[in-house]
Amino acid sequence: TQTMDYKKISKRIKKSILENSFKANACHIGSALSCVDILIELYYKILKKGDIFVFSKASGVSALYAILNDKKPMDNSVFYYLAKYPLPSKTVPGVIHSTGSLGHGLPVAVGLAYANPKDKVYCLISDGEVQEGTTYESALFARQHNLKNLFVIVDNNGYQALGKTKDILDLKTAFNFLKKTLPNCSIRKTIKGGNIDFLQKTEGHYKNLTKESLDKALTQ
C-alpha cells in the first residue's frame, strides 16, 4: 500500500480553502484552517464505511468542502454555498446535517449515536461551542446512556469571533467537564488561521481575502 503524504494533502486542502473562499468572497477562513489537520486525520485515517460524521463548527465549512472534494471530486458549484454564507449544507454530498447556529451539531450527533448504537458517530465542535448550554445537555445525555460509540473532538484554537476564549469565558473547567462526562472526548490544541500569519487570532474570523492577501497566503 502506498504511504500517503499527509503534508502534501494538507497543503492541497489549505490551497483549496483559500482559493474557494476568495472566489466566494467568504470569511471565517481562520476557523477553517484551524481544523484542517483534524479533518485529514478523520477522513484519511479514522472514518470507515458506515461511520457517521457531524461537522458542528459550522463557520469553518470551507475546510470540510475541500476535504470532501479532495476525497471525491465534486462539481465546483458546491463552493457556491460559501458565497451565500459559509455554513454546511446537507445538499452537498457527504454532509449529513446542515449546521449553523453553534451548539447544534453535538445534540444531533448524540441523537444519532443513541439511535444507532452499532455505528460510530464522530462530531467536531469548536471551543466557542463549549460555551453553549446544548453542549452540556448533550454531554450529560451521552453519559447517562453510556454512548461509547460517540467520539467528540474539540478544535481548541483559543479564539472566537471577537477575542480570546479565555478572556471571554475561560474554558478550563468546561474542558475538564467534557473529558470527565463524555465517554470519548479529545481536545485538540490548534492555531486559528493555521500557518497563515495574518489570518491568525481574531483577524481570521471575519476577514475576506483580497487578490494580494490571497497571493501572500498561498506562499506560506
Side-chain angles (χ1 to χ4, degrees):
T1 303
Q2 187 176 2
T3 303
M4 286 191 179
D5 187 335
Y6 294 107
K7 286 186 177 180
K8 186 178 287 186
I9 294 172
S10 180
K11 189 173 181 179
R12 192 164 66 231
I13 296 303
K14 290 172 184 175
K15 184 173 185 285
S16 175
I17 291 169
L18 292 165
E19 291 181 339
N20 286 295
S21 295
F22 171 71
K23 290 175 185 175
N25 195 32
C27 55
H28 298 300
I29 305 167
S31 301
L33 291 170
S34 74
C35 67
V36 167
D37 291 333
I38 295 173
L39 290 176
I40 288 174
E41 182 181 357
L42 282 168
Y43 277 90
Y44 287 90
K45 297 181 182 180
I46 296 175
L47 292 174
K48 302 290 190 296
K49 187 176 181 180
D51 290 348
I52 300 169
F53 175 59
V54 178
F55 186 83
S56 189
K57 55 164 295 178
S59 58
V61 71
S62 58
L64 177 62
Y65 287 173
I67 286 279
L68 292 173
N69 187 60
D70 196 67
K71 292 284 289 183
K72 185 178 181 180
M74 301 182 286
D75 187 315
N76 282 334
S77 64
V78 301
F79 292 103
Y80 158 76
Y81 291 100
L82 298 180
K84 295 176 68 177
Y85 197 76
L87 297 176
S89 171
K90 67 177 181 180
T91 59
V92 174
V95 178
I96 68 164
H97 185 73
S98 299
T99 51
S101 298
L102 295 181
H104 289 184
L106 184 56
V108 170
V110 165
L112 288 167
Y114 180 71
N116 304 280
K118 294 182 179 180
D119 295 333
K120 289 183 177 180
V121 180
Y122 296 83
C123 184
L124 175 61
I125 70 175
S126 66
D127 47 5
E129 286 184 276
V130 178
Q131 299 169 2
E132 300 285 349
T134 48
T135 299
Y136 291 84
E137 294 172 36
S138 299
L140 291 169
F141 186 92
R143 170 60 66 187
Q144 172 74 20
H145 296 280
N146 195 26
L147 300 182
K148 292 183 178 180
N149 61 325
L150 174 70
F151 300 84
V152 180
I153 303 166
V154 182
D155 179 356
N156 178 27
N157 63 35
Y159 285 86
Q160 53 194 87
L162 301 173
K164 295 180 180 179
T165 50
K166 70 175 184 179
D167 294 336
I168 296 167
L169 188 60
D170 200 330
L171 298 176
K172 289 179 183 177
T173 302
F175 285 159
N176 288 333
F177 169 82
L178 290 182
K179 286 189 286 188
K180 290 178 181 178
T181 308
L182 287 166
N184 302 292
C185 181
S186 174
I187 296 174
R188 305 292 182 85
K189 181 62 180 172
T190 62
I191 300 174
K192 184 112 172 179
N195 65 319
I196 313 300
D197 55 11
F198 63 91
L199 289 176
Q200 293 172 351
K201 304 180 180 179
T202 54
E203 289 83 354
H205 203 77
Y206 294 120
K207 196 180 189 74
N208 294 70
L209 292 171
T210 62
K211 182 62 171 69
E212 292 72 27
S213 60
L214 171 65
D215 292 341
K216 181 182 178 183
L218 289 172
T219 65
Q220 295 188 27

